[in-house]
Amino acid sequence: MSDILWIRRDLRIHDNPALVAAVENGVTNAVFISTPQQWQQHDLAPIKADFIYRHLKQLELQLAEFGITLLHLKATDFDDQAAQLTRLYNELDAKCVYTNSEPEVDEQLRDKRLIASGIKLKMTDCDTILPLGSVLNKQGEMFKVFTPFKNAWLKEVQVKGIQCSPAPIIQAEPTQTERLNTQLSGDLTPHKLSDEYDFDFPRVDSDRWPLSQDVLNSVIPNFLANKVNDYGKFRDIPSIKGTSGLSPYLTIGAVSPRWLAIQLIQQQPDLLFDTQLPAFSWLNELIWRDFYKHLMFHHPRLVKGANFQQKYNGLDWYQDHPSFKAWCEGKTGYPLVDAAMRQLVETGWMHNRLRMVVASFLTKHLLIDWRWGERFFMSHLIDGDFSANNGGWQWASSTGCDAQPYFRIFNPITQSEKFDPKGIFIRKYIPELQKIPDKHVHFPHDYIKKNGINSEYWQPIVEHKEARLRALAFFK
C-alpha cells in the first residue's frame, strides 16, 4: 500500500500543506499528470509549459530529499487525468491522495467525480493569502469593488494574521522509483522527469527566467531589502526593471503568496495599518491577486467567459479581424501599444502598465470583445493566470469589478509621454523609430510626413478622438 501526493499548481517545497501532510504520513510516491489537450483548450502558452517543465525537474530533485519519487503521467484532458489517477490509486492500493485544491469549475468537477468514485482526496488550500470565501462584506457577500475588499482584507490580517505551512521534515529514506515501477501493470507507465519525458505540448525556451530556488535565495531578499520601497515610484515605467518579476512563479505555484506577504509584513509590520507607506504599493498588488481569485470563487460563471457586469451582455462587439490582427502583431500605429505587443510576442511577458494600455486600446478604441484579448494574452504569457487575466481584461473593458464607469479610456499617446517620455522602451521594440526625436516618438506620423522621412512605421488604424467618442456612444 502506498498513498499518493498529487502535484498540480503547487510546484514548491515551502508553504505546501499537501506536501507536509504527505511527508507526515510516510508517502513515498508523487505524481504530476500533464493534460496537453486540456492545456490547448485553456490556451496555455508554450513558454509557460516550458517554465512548468523546468520547475517540475527541480521539484523532482527536491522531493527526493524527502524520500519521495516524482513521476509523470500523461493524459489528454481532465477526464483522462482522473482516470489515470484512479488507475494509479488502485494499482498502489492507496487509501488517500494528498493534494492542494484548484478552484476553477472544470477542476472542481473533476475532483468531485473522483471523490464520488471512491477516491479519498485530502485537499488543502495554498494559492491565496487569505482563504477563499473568508473576506466578506457585512451582508456575508463578496465585495463588488476592490477598495472595500482591501480594507476588509487588512482588518482580517490584523486580527488573525497569515497562516503559512511549516517546512516538512526531511526523511532519511531513499526514493522508491525502482520498486514502484515493478508494482505497476504494463499499461500504466509513469516516467521520471529526469528521463526527459516530454508533455507532448509545444514548449518555448523560458531560460531567461531563473528557477524559483534562485529567486527565493537571492531575487526576493534583494527586492525586499533594496527595491520594494521604490516599487510605487518605478512600477509604471516599462523601460526599467521596477516590478518584482514574481508573477510567473506565483502563477505555477513555485513561490507562495502567503510566504511573500509574511516576509514583507515581518520586515515592515506598519504596512497593515498605514497604506501610505511606500512598500504598501507592492502589498496592494498581492491583495489584488487575492481579490480576483476570491471573485472567481464566488462567481464561477466568470470561468465561462461571462461579463461580471451583466448589464453589458448586450454589447455588440465589433468582429473586426483585420484590426485584431494588427493589434496582435503590434501594427496599430500607436508606438506604445505596438511596442508592448511586440514585447509580449517576443518575450512571453508584458509590463503591467502596458497590459492596461493595450487592453483599453483593444476594447475601447477598436471595440473588440475583451475575450479575444484575454485568450491572446493567455496563449503568450509566461505568467498567464486565469483569474488575474480575466479580472484585468474585464477591468479594462469596464465589464468587470470596477469603481470607475465605462468612460475611462486610456489615451495611448499621453500614456506614452508620461511613462516612456524619452521613448526608451518604444525604441527597444520598434527600431523603425530609432531616429525620431523624443518629442515626436509617441505619435510620429505628422513629424514623418512633414520632414519627408522614409519610414517603415505604419499608419494608425484608428484616430484617438474619434475612437473615444465612438466608445462612449457604444457603451452608453
Side-chain angles (χ1 to χ4, degrees):
M1 182 184 76
S2 177
D3 289 341
I4 301 167
L5 171 63
W6 185 7
I7 299 296
R8 306 205 284 199
R9 281 179 299 187
D10 47 0
L11 308 183
R12 63 178 184 263
I13 299 299
H14 71 284
D15 188 29
N16 189 328
L19 171 61
V20 172
V23 170
E24 289 176 349
N25 286 277
V27 171
T28 59
N29 302 313
V31 65
F32 179 84
I33 311 174
S34 59
T35 54
Q37 182 177 307
Q38 196 85 31
W39 288 349
Q40 185 176 25
Q41 292 173 0
H42 289 177
D43 305 305
L44 181 73
I47 192 172
K48 183 178 174 182
D50 187 67
F51 199 57
I52 291 170
Y53 186 78
R54 290 172 55 220
H55 277 87
L56 280 168
K57 294 184 73 173
Q58 174 186 258
L59 186 63
E60 179 182 28
L61 298 176
Q62 293 172 326
L63 289 176
E65 297 180 8
F66 297 91
I68 298 175
T69 300
L70 175 61
L71 298 171
H72 174 215
L73 288 170
K74 184 173 63 180
T76 54
D77 54 21
F78 282 160
D79 287 339
D80 189 29
Q81 186 183 58
Q84 295 272 17
L85 181 72
T86 300
R87 291 166 63 197
L88 183 64
Y89 187 86
N90 292 332
E91 287 275 358
L92 296 177
D93 191 26
K95 302 302 179 186
C96 184
V97 175
Y98 299 91
T99 193
N100 291 307
S101 63
E102 296 178 300
E104 292 83 3
V105 171
D106 288 343
E107 288 84 338
Q108 289 283 303
L109 289 174
R110 173 204 58 199
D111 291 347
K112 288 178 181 177
R113 286 196 295 268
L114 280 167
I115 293 170
S117 72
I119 303 294
K120 183 180 179 182
L121 288 182
K122 184 174 178 58
M123 290 190 288
T124 42
D125 297 323
C126 67
D127 193 37
T128 54
I129 299 173
L130 293 183
L132 295 172
S134 66
V135 184
L136 304 171
N137 62 21
K138 293 180 180 179
Q139 291 73 43
E141 300 172 345
M142 174 61 186
F143 293 94
K144 295 183 179 180
V145 291
F146 173 71
T147 300
F149 175 89
K150 174 191 69 178
N151 294 335
W153 188 99
L154 289 169
K155 290 180 180 178
E156 187 78 7
V157 175
Q158 290 167 12
V159 173
K160 299 182 180 179
I162 299 171
Q163 305 304 314
C164 204
S165 295
I169 299 174
I170 291 180
Q171 305 293 316
E173 296 181 5
T175 58
Q176 306 294 317
T177 305
E178 296 302 322
R179 181 181 62 80
L180 174 63
N181 285 338
T182 60
Q183 287 180 332
L184 301 178
S185 60
D187 58 349
L188 184 65
T189 54
H191 298 256
K192 292 191 296 180
L193 269 295
S194 55
D195 293 334
E196 297 297 332
Y197 188 67
D198 210 341
F199 287 154
D200 270 357
F201 190 86
R203 289 193 283 131
V204 169
D205 185 7
S206 64
D207 282 350
R208 66 181 292 265
W209 296 88
L211 289 172
S212 61
Q213 199 57 50
D214 292 331
V215 170
L216 290 166
N217 291 339
S218 59
V219 176
I220 293 173
N222 179 59
F223 176 77
L224 293 178
N226 302 311
K227 295 184 177 182
V228 71
N229 288 327
D230 292 324
Y231 178 80
K233 185 191 307 182
F234 297 131
R235 64 185 292 263
D236 285 323
I237 304 175
S239 61
I240 65 175
K241 191 174 181 180
T243 65
S244 69
L246 296 177
S247 55
Y249 304 92
L250 288 166
T251 297
I252 66 170
V255 171
S256 160
R258 301 191 297 200
W259 182 85
L260 280 177
I262 288 173
Q263 301 307 305
L264 177 63
I265 293 169
Q266 284 179 343
Q267 184 185 89
Q268 301 192 43
D270 290 343
L271 286 176
L272 294 176
F273 306 93
D274 186 355
T275 61
Q276 300 305 309
L277 291 172
F280 185 82
S281 181
W282 189 61
L283 178 61
N284 201 52
E285 292 303 305
L286 295 178
I287 303 174
W288 265 107
R289 183 179 184 276
D290 258 23
F291 174 66
Y292 283 137
K293 290 191 175 294
H294 283 242
L295 193 68
M296 187 182 65
F297 172 77
H298 287 280
H299 300 280
R301 59 187 173 83
L302 297 177
V303 178
K304 301 299 183 181
N307 293 316
F308 181 80
Q309 299 280 359
Q310 297 185 59
K311 66 181 179 181
Y312 290 125
N313 287 347
L315 284 176
D316 189 15
W317 296 103
Y318 288 17
Q319 304 293 307
D320 189 346
H321 291 275
S323 292
F324 180 65
K325 183 174 185 290
W327 178 84
C328 293
E329 294 177 351
K331 295 182 177 181
T332 68
Y334 286 83
L336 189 65
V337 173
D338 295 341
M341 295 304 295
R342 287 189 176 190
Q343 181 187 37
L344 172 61
V345 173
E346 292 177 19
T347 72
W349 187 80
M350 186 190 291
H351 189 276
N352 183 63
R353 164 60 57 173
L354 304 186
R355 298 186 196 203
M356 293 187 284
V357 172
V358 302
S360 176
F361 189 89
L362 184 72
T363 58
K364 301 293 178 65
H365 282 70
L366 303 181
L367 300 182
I368 290 175
D369 196 330
W370 60 268
R371 300 167 188 85
W372 291 23
E374 178 194 34
R375 289 196 64 183
F376 188 81
F377 266 32
M378 283 298 291
S379 66
H380 287 80
L381 284 171
I382 191 172
D383 63 349
D385 176 279
F386 181 83
S387 57
N389 190 46
N390 179 276
W393 272 98
Q394 294 222 44
W395 182 90
S397 66
S398 297
T399 63
C401 278
D402 187 8
Q404 294 292 325
Y406 63 86
F407 50 74
R408 181 194 53 228
I409 301 171
F410 282 28
N411 182 329
I413 302 172
T414 57
Q415 289 284 309
S416 181
E417 292 170 341
K418 182 176 181 180
F419 297 114
D420 191 28
K422 294 185 178 297
I424 297 172
F425 177 80
I426 287 173
R427 292 189 182 91
K428 179 178 181 179
Y429 289 98
I430 308 180
E432 298 92 332
L433 301 179
Q434 286 290 350
K435 297 181 180 180
I436 304 297
D438 295 351
K439 180 180 178 180
H440 301 284
V441 75
H442 311 288
F443 198 67
H445 306 286
D446 288 345
Y447 179 85
I448 289 172
K449 183 178 180 180
K450 181 179 179 181
N451 291 275
I453 297 173
N454 183 20
S455 173
E456 296 181 0
Y457 191 59
W458 33 89
Q459 292 297 308
I461 61 175
V462 66
E463 199 277 325
H464 169 67
K465 291 182 179 179
E466 293 178 1
R468 183 178 183 278
L469 293 173
R470 185 177 64 172
L472 291 174
F474 179 79
F475 279 88
K476 191 172 182 179

